[in-house]
Amino acid sequence: MEKYDAESNTRDLTGIIGKTVFIILIAFSLFQIYTGMFGQYTAYVQRTVHLGFALVLIFMLFPARRGGPKGKVAWYDYLLAILSIIVCGYWPVYYDTIVQQIGGSTDAQLVIGSIAILLVLEGSRRAVGLPIVIVAAAFLIYAYFGPYMPGALAHRGLSLNQLVTSMFFTTEGILGTPLAVSSTYIFLFLLFGAFLVQTGVGSYFNDLALAIAGKRTGGPAKVAIFSSALNGTISGSSVANTVTTGSYTIPMMKRLGYHKNFAGAVEAASSTGGQLMPPIMGAAAFLMIEFAGESYWDIAKAATIPALLYFTGIWIVTHFEAKRIGLLGLPADQLPPKKEVLKKIHLLLPIVAIVWLLFQGFSIERTALYGIAITILVSLFRKDTRINFSRFIIALTSGARTALGVAAATACAGIIVGVVTRTGLGLKFGNMLVDIAGTLSFNVEMQLILTLVFTMIASIILGMGSPTTANYIITSTIALPAILALNDQLDVAVPVLAAHMFVFYFGIVADITPPVALAAFAATGISGGEPMRTGGNAVKLAIAAFIIPYMFVLQPQILMIDTTVWEVSFIILTALMGMNAIGASMVGYWYRKIPWYVRIIAFLTGIFLMYPGTPSDVIGIPIFVLLIVLQFVIKGGPTFGKNKKEQAASQS
C-alpha cells in the first residue's frame, strides 16, 4: 500500500503529537457532521475550514518523502501546518472585508493566496501523488504564459495578481466546485463507509462472495470479482481495494493453480471496476451531480448496466481461463457456513437504505447522515458487529484520514478547473481533437469514432496515477469538451451524461493500463508477479471496459436514457453474447480449446455484437451461433482444436 498508494504512506505518531493529531481528526469529522446536520457555513468559510483541517493533518501525518521517518514530525512540517492555519483561517476571520472589497487583491492577500497555492500543491504531492501536481503546475504556467503559447492554444494570459485572486479569492479555483463537493457530500459518505467497516462489513463481503462463488469453476477468481464489486461500493481507491481484498483472494488463486501474473490481474481489474459500481462509485457519483447537472438517481441508474457488464466480462474471461487449465472450485471445508453468512445479512441494510433514501428524494447530506445512524443501529443486532464507543471513535478518525487525500485532490483539481475556466482551454482542446479527427475522416460517423478514440487516449493519460475523484475532475474538465464539441459541430446528439461516463470510464481504467497501472502494480506486491505482465493481463480481463463506453455514447439506451425495457434487454443480450465471444478469443478457449484463426473470428464477432445497431447484430448473431455449433459438430467434437496427442489423451 505504501509503495503504490500515496494515501497510505503516513506517519505512526505517539505521545503528545499523536494525541493532538487524534483530536484534530475527531474534530474534523465532528465539524462535517455538525454542518451536515445544522446547515453549512457560507461557501468560502465551509471550504476553507475543510481545506485547513485537511492541510494541517496532511503535513502532520504525511512525510515529505517516502523514506522519511515515520515516528516524528519534521520541524518544517510544523511550519507548514501553522501556515495552513493562517492561510485557511484568513477567510473566516476577514470574510466581511474580502467580500466587500471591489477590484483586485491587496498585497497581503497576494501573499496569502500565493502561499495557499503552494501549500495545496505540496499537500497534494504528499497525500495524492506527483502526477496531479505536475498537471496543475503545467496549467498554472499555461495561464501565466498564455500570449507565448503556439497557435490555437494562445490566450491573453493572466497576471500574477489575476492568477492568485482567481485561484484563492473566488470560487473558480481552489475553492471551487470540486472542493465544495468534498466539504459536503464526499466527506459524509466516506464517513459512512468508515462506520460500515467498523461493523465488519468488509469481511462479510468476503464471506458472502465465498459462499456464492467459492464452489464454482475457478472459485477464488470469481470470489475476487464478487468481493471487489461489493467493496467497491464503499471504497474510493482502486489500489486500496486491490490490497484489501487481494490479500486473501490472490494467495487463494495461486494455490488453486492460477499463474501469479493472472491472479494479480484478476484482483486489479476487479478492484478497479469497484470504482464504476453504484451506489457510490468511488465518490465520483457526487461530483457528477455538480459537473453533469444530473440527479443522483439518474447517475446511479445509468451506471448500473455498464458496471454489471464490466464485471460479467471479467467473470467470463476468468471462467474460460479456469476451464482451459482445468481448475475446479474450492472444497467445502474452505468455505464459510451458509447459515453464518445469512446471520449477518443485516449488514447490507445500510447500503440498501441509502439507495432507497436517495430514490425518495432526500438530500445527499441527509442521506449520508441517516446512513451512518442506520449503520450504528443495525450493528446492534449482533454482539460481534456492534459499534461501541471505541469503534465509534475509530470510525471518526479513519473517516477523516480517508478524506485527506480527497480534499487535497479536489483542491488541486480546482486549480486545473480554474485555469480552464479563465482561458477556455477545454473548448480549445476539444475543438482541436474534433478538427484532427475531421481531417482523417471520410464521413460524420468516422469523425465521431476517431474523436472518441482521441478522447479515450487523452483520458487514460490524464487519469494515470490519480485517485478516482481527481481523475474524474481532470478528465471531465480537459477531455470531455471534445465529445461535447461534436454536438455543436456535427449532426450528432451525444447525451451529456453519456459523455461524462465515457471520460470517467477511461480515466478509471488507467489504473490497470500500463505503463502506469497502479492497481496492477499493487497486486504484484502480493502475487509476486511481474508488473507489466500483470497489467497486460488486467487489460485483457477488463477488455469490456474499453468497449462499453463506445456502446453508451453510440447507443445511450444502455444508460437507460429514453428507452424501453425491451430495447435495454436486447442490448444487454447482444452485449453478453459479444463479451462471450471476445472472452473466448482472449483466452483461446470456449467450450473447448480453439485455434488462432477461430480466436480472430470470435473477436470480430464480439465487436459486431457489441457495436450498437441492428446491421451489426444481423451479422454477429448468426456467426456467434455458428461458432458454438461448430465446436460440437465438427470432426473431433469436444477435442476441437487439439492435436492428435491431446485427442488421444482426452479419449483415454
Side-chain angles (χ1 to χ4, degrees):
M1 285 282 282
E2 290 182 7
K3 184 176 181 181
Y4 295 107
D5 184 19
E7 294 181 41
S8 301
N9 184 42
T10 58
R11 295 181 172 114
D12 184 16
L13 300 174
T14 58
I16 295 176
I17 300 302
K19 291 177 181 177
T20 302
V21 169
F22 179 77
I23 292 170
I24 297 173
L25 286 166
I26 294 175
F28 192 10
S29 289
L30 292 177
F31 167 77
Q32 296 292 157
I33 292 172
Y34 175 82
T35 56
M37 291 177 63
F38 301 107
Q40 301 165 23
Y41 293 102
T42 59
Y44 291 111
V45 174
Q46 178 77 19
R47 298 170 198 180
T48 50
V49 172
H50 177 80
L51 180 61
F53 269 118
L55 289 176
V56 169
L57 288 166
I58 286 170
F59 293 127
M60 297 295 284
L61 286 171
F62 291 81
R65 54 188 176 85
R66 286 290 176 96
K70 298 294 182 68
K72 63 178 182 178
V73 180
W75 66 268
Y76 48 81
D77 286 333
Y78 287 115
L79 177 61
L80 292 174
I82 293 169
L83 283 174
S84 299
I85 295 171
I86 294 171
V87 165
C88 293
Y90 187 83
W91 259 108
V93 173
Y94 294 101
Y95 175 79
D96 292 335
T97 303
I98 298 170
V99 295
Q100 290 174 13
Q101 75 184 33
I102 301 173
S105 303
T106 64
D107 291 341
Q109 290 170 356
L110 185 62
V111 173
I112 290 289
S114 300
I115 294 173
I117 294 171
L118 295 175
L119 289 172
V120 166
L121 292 175
E122 173 59 11
S124 299
R125 185 190 68 81
R126 296 190 187 194
V128 183
L130 197 56
I132 190 174
V133 177
I134 293 173
V135 174
F139 272 70
L140 288 172
I141 293 170
Y142 171 77
Y144 187 75
F145 291 100
Y148 307 102
M149 294 295 163
L153 292 176
H155 62 93
R156 293 178 59 185
L158 299 176
S159 67
L160 183 61
N161 194 311
Q162 290 174 323
L163 189 58
V164 171
T165 300
S166 63
M167 287 300 108
F168 195 64
F169 291 99
T170 71
T171 53
E172 293 180 350
I174 292 171
L175 305 181
T177 300
L179 190 64
V181 179
S182 174
S183 65
T184 52
Y185 314 151
I186 294 179
F187 189 101
L188 291 175
F189 266 93
L190 292 175
L191 199 58
F192 165 68
F195 274 93
L196 270 180
V197 169
Q198 290 305 308
T199 67
V201 73
S203 59
Y204 178 70
F205 282 159
N206 300 337
D207 290 342
L208 183 62
L210 280 167
I212 292 173
K215 278 189 176 181
R216 299 181 181 275
T217 301
K222 292 174 179 176
V223 170
I225 297 167
F226 200 86
S227 61
S228 295
L230 291 172
N231 276 298
T233 63
I234 59 172
S235 169
S237 168
S238 301
V239 174
N241 202 1
T242 298
V243 175
T244 302
T245 57
S247 61
Y248 77 95
T249 58
I250 292 174
M252 276 199 302
M253 283 187 270
K254 290 175 66 180
R255 283 197 301 270
L256 191 66
Y258 282 108
H259 190 276
K260 57 187 178 182
N261 291 330
F262 190 84
V266 170
E267 183 55 54
S270 303
S271 294
T272 298
Q275 308 304 292
L276 309 171
M277 194 72 179
I280 298 177
M281 297 165 61
F286 309 118
L287 284 166
M288 213 173 284
I289 292 170
E290 300 294 334
F291 280 63
E294 299 280 351
S295 70
Y296 169 83
W297 182 248
D298 286 338
I299 293 167
K301 182 178 68 173
T304 300
I305 293 176
L308 293 175
L309 290 175
Y310 174 91
F311 282 103
T312 303
I314 300 176
W315 185 286
I316 288 168
V317 176
T318 54
H319 177 78
F320 288 151
E321 177 68 12
K323 285 285 189 182
R324 185 183 71 83
I325 58 181
L327 301 182
L328 302 175
L330 291 169
D333 61 356
Q334 293 185 24
L335 301 176
K338 288 186 178 179
K339 287 184 178 179
E340 289 300 314
V341 174
L342 289 174
K343 284 180 181 178
K344 293 185 179 181
I345 195 73
H346 63 281
L347 294 179
L348 299 180
L349 289 177
I351 297 174
V352 175
I354 65 166
V355 174
W356 182 81
L357 288 169
L358 288 166
F359 177 69
Q360 292 297 315
F362 284 79
S363 69
I364 299 173
E365 295 97 327
R366 285 289 171 187
T367 299
L369 290 170
Y370 289 148
I372 293 170
I374 293 169
T375 302
I376 296 171
L377 180 63
V378 164
S379 75
L380 302 177
F381 291 0
R382 284 174 58 95
K383 186 177 180 180
D384 57 339
T385 66
R386 191 170 300 156
I387 295 180
N388 53 26
F389 181 75
S390 176
R391 287 184 177 181
F392 182 86
I393 296 299
I394 292 172
L396 291 180
T397 56
S398 61
R401 277 177 175 267
T402 305
L404 298 182
V406 176
T410 51
C412 194
I415 294 174
I416 299 168
V417 175
V419 171
V420 170
T421 302
R422 292 298 300 267
T423 63
L425 177 62
L427 184 60
K428 293 176 183 178
F429 186 72
N431 288 332
M432 286 171 59
L433 291 184
V434 174
D435 291 342
I436 294 170
T439 59
L440 300 174
S441 305
F442 302 107
N443 55 40
V444 171
E445 187 174 18
M446 185 177 180
Q447 187 175 359
L448 170 60
I449 296 296
L450 283 177
T451 302
L452 292 176
V453 171
F454 295 152
T455 306
M456 173 191 74
I457 296 170
S459 297
I460 291 174
I461 293 172
L462 291 168
M464 287 180 175
S466 298
T468 302
T469 47
N471 193 321
Y472 169 64
I473 295 167
I474 295 170
T475 54
S476 63
T477 302
I478 303 171
L480 175 70
I483 301 177
L484 298 181
L486 291 170
N487 291 345
D488 298 328
Q489 297 187 23
L490 306 178
D491 188 22
V492 296
V494 179
V496 173
L497 182 55
H500 278 268
M501 292 289 288
F502 185 90
V503 297
F504 173 59
Y505 255 68
F506 284 115
I508 292 298
V509 297
D511 280 344
I512 54 169
T513 307
V516 189
L518 290 184
F521 293 174
T524 62
I526 300 170
S527 69
E530 301 170 51
M532 294 305 290
R533 289 191 178 183
T534 300
N537 282 331
V539 170
K540 182 174 72 174
L541 282 158
I543 189 68
F546 293 85
I547 301 172
I548 292 170
Y550 289 90
M551 289 180 63
F552 54 62
V553 167
L554 299 173
Q555 199 168 38
Q557 290 91 335
I558 198 172
L559 299 179
M560 291 188 269
I561 297 175
D562 299 329
T563 188
T564 64
V565 173
W566 295 111
E567 284 180 328
V568 172
S569 300
F570 186 74
I571 292 169
I572 294 173
L573 176 63
T574 56
L576 290 174
M577 293 168 66
M579 284 192 292
N580 262 280
I582 291 173
S585 72
M586 293 286 105
V587 177
Y589 189 98
W590 206 331
Y591 287 94
R592 50 205 43 84
K593 184 180 176 182
I594 56 176
W596 64 268
Y597 52 88
V598 177
R599 293 175 71 172
I600 294 174
I601 296 171
F603 183 82
L604 294 175
T605 302
I607 294 297
F608 275 116
L609 286 165
M610 296 190 76
Y611 189 87
T614 303
S616 61
D617 292 337
V618 170
I619 297 171
I621 292 174
I623 301 175
F624 178 85
V625 174
L626 182 63
L627 285 173
I628 293 178
V629 171
L630 283 175
Q631 292 184 73
F632 291 96
V633 302
I634 199 168
K635 187 176 180 180
T639 56
F640 175 59
K642 295 182 179 180
N643 58 37
K644 291 182 179 179
K645 289 183 179 180
E646 289 174 314
Q647 290 180 25
S650 177
Q651 289 167 3
S652 66

